[in-house]
Amino acid sequence: MAVVSQCVSTAEKVRHHIKWLGHLVQWWLLPAWSLSAVQSWPQAQQTVPFIPVTTRQLPDVNQSYAGIIADGSSFSLNGDNVSYRFHVDNSTGDLISDHFGGSVLGDIPTEVTGAVNGWVNTIGRVRREFPDQGRGDFRQPAIRIRQSEGYTVSDLRYQSYTVKQGKPSLPSLPATFGSEDEVSTLIVHLYDNYSSVAADLSYSIFPKHNAIVRSANITNHGKGNITIESLASMSVDFPYEDLDMISLRGDWAREAHRERRRVEYGTQGFGSTTGYSSHLHNPFLAVMDPSSTESSGEVWGFSFVYSGSFSVDVEKGSQGLTRALVGLNPSQLSWSLGPGESLNSPECVAVYSENGVGGMSRSLHNLYRKNLIKSKFAMADRPALLNSWEGLGSTFNESTISQLAKESAALGIKLFVLDDGWFGDKYPRTSDDAGLGDWIPNPRRFPDGLPHVVDSITSLKAANTSTNLRFGLWFEPEMVNPNSSLYHEHPEWALHAGSYPRTETRNQLVLNVALPEVQDFIIDSVSNILNSSDITYVKWDNNRGIHEMPSSSTDHEYMLGLYRVFDVLTTRFPEVLWEGCASGGGRFDPGVLQYFPQIWTSDDTDAVERITIQMGTSLAYPPSAMGAHLSAVPNQQTGRTLPVDFRGHVAMMGGSFGLELDPAEIPESDKAALPGLIELAEKVNPIILSGDMYRLSLPEESNWPAVLFISEDAKQAVLFYFQINPNINSAIPWVKMQGLDPKATYSVDGNATYTGSVLMKIGLQFPIATDYGSKVVFLEKQ
Ligand SMILES: *[C@@H]1O[C@H](CO)[C@@H](O)[C@H](O)[C@H]1NC(C)=O
Ligand SMILES: *[C@@H]1O[C@H](CO)[C@@H](O)[C@H](O)[C@H]1NC(C)=O
Ligand SMILES: *[C@@H]1O[C@H](CO)[C@@H](O)[C@H](O)[C@H]1NC(C)=O
Ligand SMILES: *[C@@H]1O[C@H](CO)[C@@H](O)[C@H](O)[C@H]1NC(C)=O
Ligand SMILES: *[C@@H]1O[C@H](CO)[C@@H](O)[C@H](O)[C@H]1NC(C)=O
Ligand SMILES: *[C@@H]1O[C@H](CO)[C@@H](O)[C@H](O)[C@H]1NC(C)=O
Ligand SMILES: *[C@@H]1O[C@H](CO)[C@@H](O)[C@H](O)[C@H]1NC(C)=O
Ligand SMILES: *[C@@H]1O[C@H](CO)[C@@H](O)[C@H](O)[C@H]1NC(C)=O
Ligand SMILES: *[C@@H]1O[C@H](CO)[C@@H](O)[C@H](O)[C@H]1NC(C)=O
Ligand SMILES: *[C@@H]1O[C@H](CO)[C@@H](O)[C@H](O)[C@H]1NC(C)=O
Ligand SMILES: *[C@@H]1O[C@H](CO)[C@@H](O)[C@H](O)[C@H]1NC(C)=O
């Protein structure tokens, strides 16, 4: 990454123009006052005098690259529709936030703090970029360091900065990436003179996605050991205003329920202490103007690129400013740094939208599809699959599996996935109390070996095609059953804390993936199976949280180890389509998406529940990343019976469509519908994978949830429309589209044509006679 030391000529021209405008506006203003002038007013001041308007100038550029202007005093990051600006308070060396929001040009007014009385000093009344602790800012800090002497005061002051084209990778951590045309990076160097601790803040801007990505690199240049006790990747101080926030909460089989609430005085937050990102709360936060909606108003989205425990805190302070912190969970972090050592935080993505929550989601979707997911399958058509789990569970043998594969092929399925139960020799995996850790095919279930089964299944042709069936396999490599050869050989590999009992969940323990020997064991076990035959899909499951940990740094060390495992395996087997899973969506996060292009969204396959779960998940994650299956009825989780079309239509809104059933066990009429649904899923798949998603109405608010996907070239669109309860003797609602070209005309399902303006301002009606009705409608630009 080249350090750019010369001005880019066009940027300079723009700047001169802006500067000239700035002078015009400035001529009548008083001379520029600095914040220090405000600070020097006497403490006991009771009345606020006339406060002159001062301006904070646009950086006097001496380092610049597309999107970044900086001069060592002020910093400006600019995207198509976003500006992010901050400056150095030259009397304190503190970084002060000026603006994160809509695109602005030119000089901006300096924020006035007003009289400073009472216990809270100026430092506690301003908007800070990277708040440290112990010097009078009583809000939650972005960083807390226990210095070698024991105290937790720090004093990080501005030192210097660098601007780079492109974006350096983060060692050992997943991170967004991009070419030198797509992203540029500002690194601001802070230093604490008293403890000799350095903090480098990295800000990358993806101008086209209105996204700013931040991480922090803390280095101990002192002589003693220090401990990092908290470290937020993103810290944003919003001005004095009312705000709402959205989080995604849930539990097993109930992921990603959207929760919107007012930001109140004090701290409100959420997070995970489970060792993984978890079903309980997703590492995602949206902050918005209280009047913002799905399609209008200002929204800020924060998405943490990490798969372990995390915390999000939103604190409205006494002065009315709101601080949002997103980072590693301090309750699971106590990271020792010896002399010369560094800790890199994971990164947090922040996007700004002036088109409501939907605009925020589309920015994240685009960024993640193009600049986060490394797999070559990120936007490639996904094969319709059949997973054996809900059909056969863990009770099967070679002939029942082969039969299921044949039935799948006859329906037009392209990928057959063998789920749990295929492994274990001395401790065969015939139920969930044995076998995890012993990654060898069960010789009694597969007397001729697994490769034999794979060969016979991959020689089947999907119905009426020349396409051979692909074969996929389930793994849960981070786990071990005490009933396993692995545990008997290596009890020390399971996470434990001294002689405290090793608490089992689902009869299993968690391997300490922080240990290099455990990482190598997992890499070798999975490689051996994948090398043994033509396996082109892996479902990587993870079915419990972490309890007993040997130390407070284990949580993060585990993640670094896991990322090494993911990196080695996905690099070694690039032809494999990897799917993440953790009892459903227990680890649905951007960290996993770096390596795996799709994740199983939920173990709840009830299609009504799935509308809420998939729409919630889509707040932060592209639909291309969601695995969604049509399962048998009554549904295994809810007992509900839904029409097969409804189940199919909900599942095909996910990038990876599949079946989760035994075709031999379902009613003939349902079975007859499957080939048509598979064909329809394959038809919509390219639009789902790379198109823009518009949530037209939400399941929490409407009996008629609806989603529109518009293809990347804007020529095609597909509408999914659902009716949950019957609609007796009421008028038929109109569904208004979004995101179309108002002047263009579109054909609706190949017959009637309307302009985009009619479709968006008036809409279409879809009378549905029953409950649980659904429609899939194609729009084609003429
Ligand atoms: C601080 O910056 C202001 C302008 O923002 C300038 O007037 C003042 O001289 C600076 N003070 C120092 C000590 O550099
Ligand atoms: C950029 O500006 C800063 C602050 O004015 C100054 O300290 C630095 O030397 C300048 N760098 C270059 C390359 O001109
Ligand atoms: C940016 O703003 C322009 C003009 O308002 C608008 O047309 C465009 O859709 C916006 N882009 C994004 C990504 O929001
Ligand atoms: C830090 O210490 C150095 C050397 O002791 C001194 O030159 C510098 O001014 C100090 N910086 C601050 C911000 O106190
Ligand atoms: C973090 O800072 C240290 C010390 O400056 C440096 O050696 C290391 O390369 C930095 N890490 C990253 C990812 O920039
Ligand atoms: C720092 O920590 C290391 C490892 O725990 C220990 O060996 C060393 O003695 C410590 N140094 C100091 C100055 O406390
Ligand atoms: C496989 O399982 C089926 C169903 O339980 C049974 O009928 C069949 O005999 C078994 N086949 C073998 C080879 O064990
Ligand atoms: C395959 O073609 C046959 C004959 O046209 C047809 O009956 C059958 O339904 C087709 N199967 C699928 C899955 O499309
Ligand atoms: C081991 O398996 C046996 C039966 O296969 C079961 O009864 C026992 O509970 C299992 N033990 C553990 C520790 O899970
Ligand atoms: C599996 O094959 C890959 C190359 O395809 C090789 O790099 C790796 O070492 C093999 N691993 C094992 C355990 O055989
Ligand atoms: C459009 O045409 C399809 C058949 O191509 C038909 O089923 C549908 O009812 C027609 N819709 C309208 C609104 O005319």
Side-chain angles (χ1 to χ4, degrees):
M1 307 296 153
V3 174
V4 178
S5 53
Q6 288 171 339
C7 315
V8 176
S9 60
T10 36
E12 194 175 25
K13 276 183 215 149
V14 169
R15 255 209 42 72
H16 272 110
H17 182 62
I18 293 164
K19 193 81 180 181
W20 180 77
L21 281 174
H23 288 317
L24 271 186
V25 179
Q26 259 185 69
W27 67 269
W28 53 272
L29 298 173
L30 289 166
W33 281 45
S34 72
L35 208 53
S36 58
V38 178
Q39 263 177 275
S40 66
W41 293 344
Q43 271 280 319
Q45 195 132 9
Q46 292 304 318
T47 54
V48 181
F50 168 71
I51 295 163
V53 177
T54 63
T55 58
R56 165 116 344 252
Q57 294 187 347
L58 194 65
D60 196 5
V61 57
N62 62 9
Q63 276 197 333
S64 135
Y65 182 71
I68 296 177
I69 311 173
D71 67 359
S73 159
S74 295
F75 303 90
S76 174
L77 297 103
N78 301 290
D80 288 359
N81 296 3
V82 67
S83 291
Y84 188 106
R85 290 174 57 167
F86 59 96
H87 71 271
V88 180
D89 179 335
N90 62 6
S91 66
T92 63
D94 212 12
L95 294 184
I96 304 297
S97 316
D98 295 317
H99 175 68
F100 176 24
S103 177
V104 293
L105 294 170
D107 297 343
I108 54 179
T110 302
E111 184 157 12
V112 175
T113 48
V116 175
N117 291 318
W119 290 14
V120 181
N121 290 345
T122 302
I123 196 174
R125 298 190 186 275
V126 292
R127 293 194 279 147
R128 306 176 69 203
E129 273 297 300
F130 193 58
D132 52 12
Q133 172 161 321
R135 297 180 294 114
D137 182 353
F138 298 112
R139 294 165 289 182
Q140 271 183 243
I143 182 165
R144 185 172 64 245
I145 302 172
R146 185 162 297 279
Q147 309 292 3
S148 52
E149 294 86 349
Y151 36 71
T152 54
V153 181
S154 40
D155 188 357
L156 289 161
R157 292 173 184 237
Y158 173 77
Q159 241 194 349
S160 61
Y161 76 101
T162 29
V163 176
K164 295 175 180 189
Q165 285 177 275
K167 181 170 183 288
S169 60
L170 273 184
S172 313
L173 284 164
T176 52
F177 55 81
S179 68
E180 296 193 349
D181 296 334
E182 291 174 305
V183 57
S184 44
T185 301
L186 163 72
I187 299 172
V188 179
H189 309 280
L190 307 176
Y191 196 72
D192 180 338
N193 252 11
Y194 305 94
S195 62
S196 304
V197 171
D200 290 350
L201 300 182
S202 167
Y203 296 83
S204 295
I205 172 131
F206 289 87
K208 289 221 157 23
H209 300 298
N210 295 318
I212 284 138
V213 181
R214 201 178 84 170
S215 64
N217 177 20
I218 312 303
T219 305
N220 178 9
H221 292 288
K223 294 195 174 64
N225 296 333
I226 63 167
T227 307
I228 310 298
E229 294 188 334
S230 82
L231 177 57
S233 298
M234 181 63 75
S235 46
V236 174
D237 281 356
F238 288 91
Y240 179 25
E241 60 195 345
D242 285 336
L243 293 167
D244 277 7
M245 63 187 266
I246 293 179
S247 57
L248 295 173
R249 67 174 170 81
D251 203 314
W252 175 75
R254 182 166 47 76
E255 295 86 342
H257 283 234
R258 180 197 284 238
E259 180 87 8
R260 180 169 179 164
R261 55 182 139 157
R262 182 59 54 95
V263 174
E264 303 287 359
Y265 281 91
T267 301
Q268 43 255 288
F270 56 88
S272 165
T273 56
T274 65
Y276 307 114
S277 46
S278 91
H279 315 77
L280 314 182
H281 294 284
N282 195 274
F284 160 79
L285 166 74
V287 172
M288 71 213 65
D289 186 276
S291 67
S292 294
T293 67
E294 188 59 32
S295 56
S296 72
E298 292 195 281
V299 180
W300 294 261
F302 302 93
S303 176
F304 190 39
V305 187
Y306 194 62
S307 312
S309 297
F310 71 94
S311 84
V312 171
D313 285 305
V314 180
E315 180 178 7
K316 187 165 183 172
S318 61
Q319 67 304 83
L321 305 176
T322 296
R323 175 170 291 173
L325 299 171
V326 180
L328 297 169
N329 195 318
S331 77
Q332 310 281 98
L333 182 78
S334 181
W335 194 275
S336 176
L337 284 185
E341 290 178 348
S342 298
L343 172 65
N344 265 287
S345 79
E347 66 181 32
C348 181
V349 173
V351 295
Y352 170 75
S353 157
E354 47 200 1
N355 300 313
V357 178
M360 171 208 70
S361 295
R362 286 185 292 279
S363 279
L364 286 170
H365 296 173
N366 267 315
L367 178 74
Y368 283 177
R369 277 195 295 250
K370 298 186 175 128
N371 302 97
L372 174 72
I373 301 173
K374 283 185 171 169
S375 166
K376 64 191 224 185
F377 302 111
M379 284 190 279
D381 289 2
R382 308 290 165 77
L385 65 82
L386 183 140
N387 179 295
S388 69
W389 182 249
E390 287 197 21
L392 294 185
S394 57
T395 311
F396 56 81
N397 57 29
E398 180 168 338
S399 65
T400 55
I401 282 297
S402 299
Q403 183 56 31
L404 186 61
K406 280 187 196 131
E407 298 247 20
S408 307
L411 293 170
I413 286 294
K414 311 286 185 303
L415 163 66
F416 178 78
V417 180
L418 176 53
D419 208 278
D420 198 356
W422 57 269
F423 52 91
D425 180 0
K426 197 168 165 199
Y427 299 89
R429 179 75 170 173
T430 50
S431 71
D432 65 16
D433 64 17
L436 283 178
D438 298 348
W439 300 106
I440 42 168
N442 179 334
R444 280 167 296 283
R445 287 190 164 182
F446 306 112
D448 301 322
L450 183 65
H452 171 76
V453 181
V454 176
D455 287 349
S456 76
I457 290 177
T458 54
S459 65
L460 298 169
K461 304 272 185 215
N464 304 340
T465 71
S466 55
T467 311
N468 282 62
L469 217 58
R470 293 169 56 171
F471 185 88
L473 203 57
W474 178 96
F475 287 89
E476 195 182 355
E478 297 155 72
M479 299 289 158
V480 65
N481 284 117
N483 277 342
S484 68
S485 300
L486 180 68
Y487 192 71
H488 285 90
E489 281 161 35
H490 289 291
E492 79 285 5
W493 283 6
L495 278 171
H496 63 283
S499 56
Y500 279 95
R502 303 175 179 202
T503 317
E504 288 175 31
T505 300
R506 204 180 182 240
N507 310 309
Q508 65 199 53
L509 297 169
V510 186
L511 291 175
N512 186 354
V513 182
L515 301 174
E517 55 271 34
V518 171
Q519 296 159 26
D520 291 340
F521 166 79
I522 294 174
I523 290 168
D524 288 347
S525 305
V526 176
S527 296
N528 268 328
I529 297 288
L530 296 186
N531 281 355
S532 71
S533 55
D534 189 18
I535 298 167
T536 52
Y537 168 101
V538 167
K539 178 179 174 188
W540 185 294
D541 208 344
N542 194 62
N543 285 318
R544 62 160 289 182
I546 294 174
H547 304 169
E548 296 81 20
M549 283 196 295
S551 87
S552 51
S553 55
T554 306
D555 210 329
H556 186 54
E557 285 167 346
Y558 179 112
M559 277 303 141
L560 297 178
L562 184 64
Y563 290 138
R564 177 182 162 240
V565 169
F566 284 174
D567 187 42
V568 169
L569 284 172
T570 54
T571 306
R572 186 177 287 176
F573 298 100
E575 301 304 325
V576 168
L577 173 57
W578 298 83
E579 177 172 271
C581 177
S583 308
R587 204 162 58 185
F588 205 125
D589 60 62
V592 170
L593 286 181
Q594 170 108 93
Y595 310 96
F596 301 167
Q598 64 187 53
I599 300 173
W600 179 231
T601 318
S602 176
D603 279 350
D604 186 348
T605 57
D606 178 291
V608 170
E609 300 271 295
R610 269 299 189 114
I611 294 177
T612 299
I613 293 170
Q614 291 172 201
M615 282 225 208
T617 304
S618 78
L619 251 61
Y621 307 100
S624 66
M626 290 184 220
H629 298 172
L630 186 172
S631 62
V633 286
N635 182 269
Q636 285 194 2
Q637 290 78 31
T638 63
R640 178 157 38 195
T641 295
L642 294 169
V644 68
D645 283 350
F646 189 100
R647 283 177 275 150
H649 294 161
V650 171
M652 63 185 75
M653 292 194 294
S656 173
F657 171 85
L659 306 181
E660 188 91 24
L661 48 79
D662 180 351
E665 302 280 315
I666 63 173
E668 219 26 70
S669 56
D670 281 9
K671 192 169 163 183
L674 293 179
L677 286 168
I678 293 168
E679 202 182 315
L680 184 61
E682 288 174 343
K683 184 176 171 194
V684 302
N685 196 235
I687 309 178
I688 306 289
L689 287 167
S690 54
D692 273 340
M693 179 194 202
Y694 291 83
R695 291 177 295 255
L696 303 181
S697 59
L698 304 177
E700 305 89 290
E701 296 169 356
S702 168
N703 186 43
W704 297 276
V707 184
L708 183 71
F709 294 88
I710 303 178
S711 66
E712 208 175 9
D713 64 8
K715 290 192 174 133
Q716 288 174 294
V718 57
L719 168 74
F720 289 86
Y721 177 76
F722 302 95
Q723 172 166 295
I724 308 298
N725 292 312
N727 185 41
I728 300 164
N729 279 343
S730 298
I732 313 294
W734 292 84
V735 190
K736 293 179 185 169
M737 313 298 149
Q738 292 175 25
L740 301 175
D741 176 350
K743 295 208 179 81
T745 54
Y746 295 83
S747 69
V748 178
D749 269 347
N751 27 35
T753 59
Y754 300 104
T755 60
S757 60
V758 167
L759 294 170
M760 293 193 289
K761 308 280 187 217
I762 297 174
L764 294 172
Q765 286 180 302
F766 303 101
I768 296 177
T770 62
D771 58 356
Y772 305 132
S774 57
K775 286 259 188 252
V776 179
V777 180
F778 285 89
L779 305 181
E780 192 107 26
K781 199 173 184 175
Q782 299 303 291

